[in-house]
Amino acid sequence: MEDDTSQSEVIGLGLCDSCPLLWRTRDLRTVRSRGLVGSLLGSLPRMPRQNGRLGRPLLLQPEEERLLTELHAAAALTTTDQARGRVEQYEAEQQTSYEQQKILALEDRKSALLRAMTSSQTVPDSGPRTPDEALRGRLEALDRSFTFPRSALAVQLSTVRAGLSHFPEDRALLRADWPIRAQDDPRRDVRYQVFRDLRGRGFYLTSAGKFGGDFLVYPGDPLRFHAHFIVICLSLEESIGVLDVLSVARLGSSVKKTVLLCSPAADGAVLYTSLQWSGMV
Amino acid sequence: MCCCCPCPETSSPSELFAARSRSHKIPVRGQKDFLPDGSEEQRQRLEQSLSEHWSLVSEERVERLGNLVKATWIPGDQMVELQSPAGKFWQTMGFSDKGKQCLLPEEALYLMECGNLQVFYQDLPLSIQDGYERFLSSRTVSLRQYQVFGHLKRLGYVVHRFDASSEPSSYARQLNLPPSRDRAGKQLKRKRSGSPTATATASCSHSEAQEASTAERMEEEEGEEDRKLPESHLTTSAETPEVQTSTATAAGPAGGAGGVGGRSWWAAAVLRAWDQGSSHNPTSASPCWDHRSIPFPDLGSRGVGDRLASPDPSLLPAGVAVGVCNVAPWRRKINLRQVKMSSKEQKGRRRWDVNKDKQVRRCRNWAEYQELQARRRGGRRKGRPAHLWNAAVAPLHDPRRPIPTKELLDKISVVKSTNLLEGASRLTGSDEWRLCFSVYQPDTVAEFKKSNPGKPYSRICVCSFDGPVPDLRALKLLASQSADVPVVFAVVDQGDISFYTFKDYQLPTDVHT
């Protein structure tokens, strides 16, 4: 059910240095619901100075981008309105935010005071006034004396540009005006056909440069599952030296993964070959 | 606007206020499963992981205004100018330009991502997305390079752009030119002591006299001498050409001193250039010439005519005009004849002096010597077959002449080992392979000075698995640009960055002595 609604949604791509980046959380969710993983590049707002978990933007692999483009599911993000009149709007918003945060801060202080006073009621009070009176007096004093410095204002450093939009009718045109993408390269084509086939079988794929292959193949969402295969894409005509075969097989076994040699055939199917030590001595 | 619902990417004032007390912990990821089995338990775990993931990823940066440094983006200069006092980051990032504090785009973007900096453009704050799309380009740093920059910065390294012009050129290094003016004095002093560049000028003889004094005294007066050196050399090289040529010829018979004498003369010329450069334009950082583009006339080669065209006026000090130079008298002084030596002669010179031989010294005349030689050849014939030794190709070593094992190993190694820097200075630069960043280790941050960063821990070349593997040419080129600092290749694969380095390896020789 949920898949159906998200599948129909168009993903907004931003281009940075000719790389396709996703910025809006809902686009990230949509892409993930399509089984595309991508890779997060940015510092995580909650804890920016570490590399273990990263945050937005999400970089799409060339194959992921191509798949979305072919499905007419992605469009370039464009900015709808520009700076004109926006400065006043921004300043007005900041002022409103300041007023509201000031009220919130005062309420915060009052409730803190209230808590402190009510808990101290258990202590015998020898003062001349009743606790209620004392509380009212303190609250009034707080009302009068409370200041909320400008520097205490909490501001948002937006991740996504404000007023972003895309024109859904541009979907079909996307490929045409996309900047140079080396996708007519035969090697890219082989990679893409293998990618599309494996994704169509329900696998999740990420890039496998660190394992010396083209893709890492996960049986489910990479958040919960280990990768099982290292994919190496080869066209059918391409020959491969036996030493190369041995070295990739050796590599796969040392990281407990199976190496798959994948070659797209003429009829659109993909041929998969896996390598395994025979165990014979 | 983007859609009918209110944009979830912007927070309301109450959300902003509430964000002040939010957690700064990252939820721990549990053990992964091997295979999806369709069980409810697995589905729930996945759902929980995903919801944690999305809440982390969707979180917006919220900071107190007082903790933010304000800055503006200046697209024309491709840099960011600070509008409020810089934070702690100023110790390792940024630069001053005409009294203004500025940041490079990658530094600004990193600080925006860390929630330390708010950058404005046309009076509106830039989002992180704006930062990526406006700051990263071929004019500044690419997205890939920024990924590497951010990765290293998040680990705590100090990362600066690599500036080739601030490094001594390969030519300067080849000649062992002083890398900077304040270190020039120390290096020159040692070299000069053995060289015959001494001239009659007062200031120079003064410093020569200093050299004659003890080493301790030299150390004490180092600072003073450093300041005097450029002037003293100025007078030296401002003299007539005769001084220079005599230097070269006088140095000849002295053997090793020859190179030294010539070297200090060149170095003096460069020092002079620096001196003048800085007096003309005090703000410019030491004007370093690109010696690859400045041809020096090779008077020894036959192609050169007797008249030299006047040099490029931009290389001359102001107010000095040099006409066409007649080099004919100089050329007469140069011995252009090539000395030919057979390989035997060369070996003999190096290894063995005929006059040390007692039997040879006993010979009273040429005839007796010849007789002795014939006798020896005859004697030798018994020990070693003539057909082996009298042909053009002879054994590498005479087994009857004992030498230490190490020397013998050297002698018989036909293929000599080479190192990475050998011949590298002759390579011309390439666009494909270049050094991007200089990296300094995190533990030096406390005492780090931008003005004097010291020797980097490593230098980074950013590349990707899509591109070619660097060939020996690229390795040599980068190694020579980086001098004695190791070159690290940062290979970017989508979101993953792997670091590789090629190491020069000296194969050990196992010799028992």
Side-chain angles (χ1 to χ4, degrees):
Chain A
M1 271 305 288
E2 201 206 301
D3 263 18
D4 284 339
T5 51
S6 54
Q7 296 259 327
S8 63
E9 238 181 288
V10 176
I11 294 145
L13 291 179
L15 267 196
C16 165
D17 192 27
S18 82
C19 299
L21 297 183
L22 297 191
W23 288 95
R24 301 179 301 185
T25 310
R26 65 186 172 98
D27 289 337
L28 265 68
R29 282 169 170 270
T30 313
V31 163
R32 191 66 158 236
S33 70
R34 285 178 175 273
L36 303 178
V37 185
S39 23
L40 291 167
L41 301 186
S43 303
L44 192 70
R46 186 176 289 191
M47 209 192 248
R49 287 178 169 87
Q50 47 84 37
N51 284 314
R53 300 278 303 256
L54 293 178
R56 283 179 287 165
L58 184 91
L59 173 69
L60 288 183
Q61 283 190 66
E63 290 74 24
E64 294 170 329
E65 181 204 353
R66 186 160 164 193
L67 191 70
L68 290 174
T69 318
E70 276 187 7
L71 295 169
H72 301 308
L77 288 172
T78 50
T79 314
T80 41
D81 50 345
Q82 263 313 315
R84 203 153 302 147
R86 295 271 315 286
V87 179
E88 289 83 35
Q89 194 195 333
Y90 165 71
E91 277 163 2
E93 276 170 13
Q94 286 293 97
Q95 190 54 37
T96 326
S97 183
Y98 174 74
E99 305 291 349
Q100 292 192 25
Q101 285 191 40
K102 188 176 173 182
I103 295 167
L104 289 167
L106 183 57
E107 277 170 12
D108 206 41
R109 285 281 285 279
K110 277 181 179 170
S111 62
L113 185 65
L114 215 58
R115 267 200 311 279
M117 296 287 280
T118 45
S119 64
S120 68
Q121 259 181 4
T122 51
V123 185
D125 194 3
S126 57
R129 288 185 293 182
T130 62
D132 263 6
E133 273 175 34
L135 183 60
R136 204 176 308 124
R138 295 282 287 275
L139 286 178
E140 276 163 14
L142 184 61
D143 258 334
R144 279 192 304 275
S145 67
F146 182 74
T147 53
F148 184 65
R150 197 88 194 174
S151 65
L153 176 73
V155 293
Q156 179 185 357
L157 298 167
S158 304
T159 308
V160 184
R161 183 189 306 136
L164 270 187
S165 182
H166 51 79
F167 303 108
E169 60 270 26
D170 276 357
R171 264 190 263 182
L173 300 172
L174 198 61
R175 203 179 143 70
D177 53 14
W178 220 216
I180 340 110
R181 332 244 63 186
Q183 294 199 336
D184 296 326
D185 172 10
R187 183 157 161 69
R188 289 244 173 235
D189 238 39
V190 169
R191 270 175 64 110
Y192 176 63
Q193 287 181 48
V194 173
F195 181 91
R196 196 176 48 185
D197 190 72
L198 283 169
R199 179 78 279 277
R201 291 162 189 254
F203 290 106
Y204 285 71
L205 290 94
T206 64
S207 63
K210 61 184 165 192
F211 289 105
D214 287 294
F215 304 114
L216 274 178
V217 182
Y218 297 79
D221 193 300
L223 268 182
R224 291 291 324 147
F225 299 100
H226 291 292
H228 286 192
F229 306 107
I230 298 171
V231 161
I232 290 170
C233 301
L234 293 163
S235 75
L236 269 182
E237 304 86 66
E238 207 172 327
S239 62
I240 175 170
V242 72
L243 282 181
D244 289 338
V245 175
L246 286 178
S247 65
V248 295
R250 188 80 193 202
L251 175 96
S253 69
S254 68
V255 295
K256 298 199 182 78
K257 299 189 197 318
T258 306
V259 173
L260 283 182
L261 301 178
C262 313
S263 306
D267 60 353
V270 178
L271 301 172
Y272 297 97
T273 316
S274 81
L275 288 155
Q276 197 188 352
W277 297 107
S278 72
M280 283 174 67
V281 194
Chain B
M1 285 305 288
C2 52
C3 48
C4 47
C5 56
C7 198
E9 316 279 2
T10 39
S11 317
S12 70
S14 55
E15 282 170 332
L16 290 175
F17 188 75
R20 303 199 306 180
S21 53
R22 73 185 176 193
S23 153
H24 282 277
K25 288 202 179 77
I26 298 177
V28 193
R29 279 190 277 204
Q31 270 294 320
K32 289 185 176 184
D33 294 323
F34 183 69
L35 263 183
D37 53 12
S39 69
E40 180 65 16
E41 199 194 347
Q42 256 192 5
R43 201 189 57 79
Q44 275 179 1
R45 275 207 297 264
L46 173 62
E47 212 154 83
Q48 203 207 327
S49 297
L50 275 174
S51 80
E52 273 174 7
H53 178 74
W54 294 127
S55 73
L56 261 191
V57 166
S58 62
E59 202 167 89
E60 288 286 318
R61 290 167 181 81
V62 179
E63 298 294 333
R64 277 167 53 106
L65 198 58
N67 293 347
L68 282 171
V69 175
K70 230 178 128 176
T72 30
W73 165 238
I74 303 168
D77 299 334
Q78 295 283 302
M79 64 180 193
V80 169
E81 194 185 300
L82 298 190
Q83 306 294 316
S84 63
K88 208 177 149 220
F89 60 81
W90 192 253
Q91 199 193 351
T92 56
M93 285 191 249
F95 60 97
S96 295
D97 184 36
K98 298 180 200 104
K100 286 170 182 155
Q101 293 187 307
C102 301
L103 288 169
L104 290 171
E106 66 271 24
E107 295 175 327
L109 185 53
Y110 170 72
L111 290 170
M112 282 167 80
E113 287 202 274
C114 286
N116 295 335
L117 185 76
Q118 195 175 24
V119 180
F120 287 79
Y121 176 59
Q122 297 177 341
D123 295 321
L124 284 173
L126 290 181
S127 63
I128 305 290
Q129 183 185 6
D130 286 315
Y132 270 76
E133 290 174 6
R134 287 175 198 266
F135 296 179
L136 304 182
S137 68
S138 51
R139 286 171 66 196
T140 56
V141 295
S142 67
L143 176 65
R144 232 174 233 165
Q145 287 164 352
Y146 178 70
Q147 280 177 257
V148 175
F149 177 84
H151 183 93
L152 292 169
K153 288 298 289 181
R154 285 191 287 266
L155 289 173
Y157 288 98
V158 177
V159 186
H160 285 174
R161 275 193 202 174
F162 173 72
D163 179 13
S165 65
S166 70
E167 295 297 309
S169 72
S170 58
Y171 178 79
R173 265 206 307 273
Q174 206 180 347
L175 288 184
N176 237 346
L177 286 186
S180 64
R181 260 194 70 184
D182 49 353
R183 272 166 61 194
K186 271 185 217 167
Q187 292 204 349
L188 270 177
K189 196 170 56 186
R190 219 179 324 114
K191 304 256 158 73
R192 226 166 21 132
S193 55
S195 75
T197 25
T199 51
T201 53
S203 60
C204 195
S205 56
H206 167 64
S207 58
E208 288 286 322
Q210 276 189 343
E211 259 158 50
S213 68
T214 57
E216 290 91 307
R217 256 198 75 193
M218 284 201 285
E219 289 303 314
E220 279 168 24
E221 290 178 356
E222 213 165 68
E224 191 198 350
E225 208 189 348
D226 284 351
R227 259 171 279 121
K228 277 178 188 153
L229 252 170
E231 297 127 62
S232 66
H233 273 270
L234 192 91
T235 47
T236 312
S237 37
E239 285 199 17
T240 48
E242 264 76 8
V243 178
Q244 289 146 19
T245 43
S246 70
T247 311
T249 45
V260 174
R263 189 175 284 170
S264 55
W265 175 69
W266 288 110
V270 171
L271 267 184
R272 180 161 49 110
W274 283 351
D275 209 36
Q276 279 158 356
S278 52
S279 64
H280 285 314
N281 184 6
T283 51
S284 78
S286 68
C288 198
W289 290 346
D290 182 5
H291 293 277
R292 283 167 300 191
S293 65
I294 305 171
F296 281 79
D298 177 6
L299 294 182
S301 79
R302 302 195 184 265
V304 180
D306 278 352
R307 288 176 177 277
L308 272 187
S310 56
D312 185 345
S314 68
L315 300 175
L316 293 174
V320 173
V322 176
V324 173
C325 177
N326 185 8
V327 294
W330 289 16
R331 296 193 62 182
R332 277 196 292 278
K333 290 179 180 164
I334 299 175
N335 182 4
L336 289 172
R337 216 178 49 198
Q338 275 201 331
V339 179
K340 277 185 187 152
M341 274 197 289
S342 71
S343 56
K344 248 188 191 169
E345 246 176 34
Q346 282 175 338
K347 266 187 204 157
R349 278 200 181 195
R350 249 182 284 126
R351 302 242 177 259
W352 170 65
D353 189 350
V354 72
N355 289 319
K356 285 190 181 144
D357 192 329
K358 274 186 187 155
Q359 280 184 295
V360 172
R361 293 183 81 157
R362 248 180 262 134
C363 298
R364 277 163 303 176
N365 54 37
W366 187 241
E368 282 184 33
Y369 176 68
Q370 297 244 302
E371 205 181 311
L372 175 71
Q373 286 296 90
R375 225 176 23 243
R376 283 182 171 177
R377 269 201 298 276
R380 237 171 244 171
R381 244 171 237 129
K382 285 172 208 157
R384 46 180 214 187
H387 67 274
L388 267 185
W389 293 91
N390 294 343
V393 180
L396 289 168
H397 181 67
D398 180 352
R400 292 173 314 156
R401 192 172 295 161
I403 56 171
T405 319
K406 195 178 168 345
E407 261 177 62
L408 179 67
L409 286 175
D410 281 346
K411 204 171 164 186
I412 63 175
S413 64
V414 177
V415 180
K416 301 284 181 205
S417 68
T418 170
N419 68 40
L420 211 51
L421 285 174
E422 209 165 283
S425 56
R426 284 195 302 274
L427 295 172
T428 49
S430 84
D431 291 333
E432 193 180 5
W433 298 103
R434 58 185 199 86
L435 296 169
C436 277
F437 301 116
S438 294
V439 179
Y440 303 85
Q441 270 188 309
D443 54 344
T444 60
V445 168
E447 58 258 33
F448 186 84
K449 278 200 190 76
K450 280 187 290 188
S451 57
N452 182 19
K455 192 174 140 183
Y457 173 63
S458 61
R459 295 219 168 87
I460 305 282
C461 171
V462 177
C463 52
S464 100
F465 285 123
D466 295 337
V469 176
D471 51 10
L472 187 60
R473 193 193 124 84
L475 289 182
K476 276 179 177 276
L477 183 75
L478 294 181
S480 90
Q481 279 175 4
S482 184
D484 51 351
V485 177
V487 176
V488 174
F489 291 86
V491 189
V492 183
D493 176 41
Q494 302 296 309
D496 288 327
I497 302 168
S498 331
F499 295 92
Y500 296 96
T501 183
F502 291 88
K503 279 198 173 156
D504 206 3
Y505 187 71
Q506 208 77 46
L507 210 58
T509 338
D510 197 8
V511 184
H512 295 283
T513 47

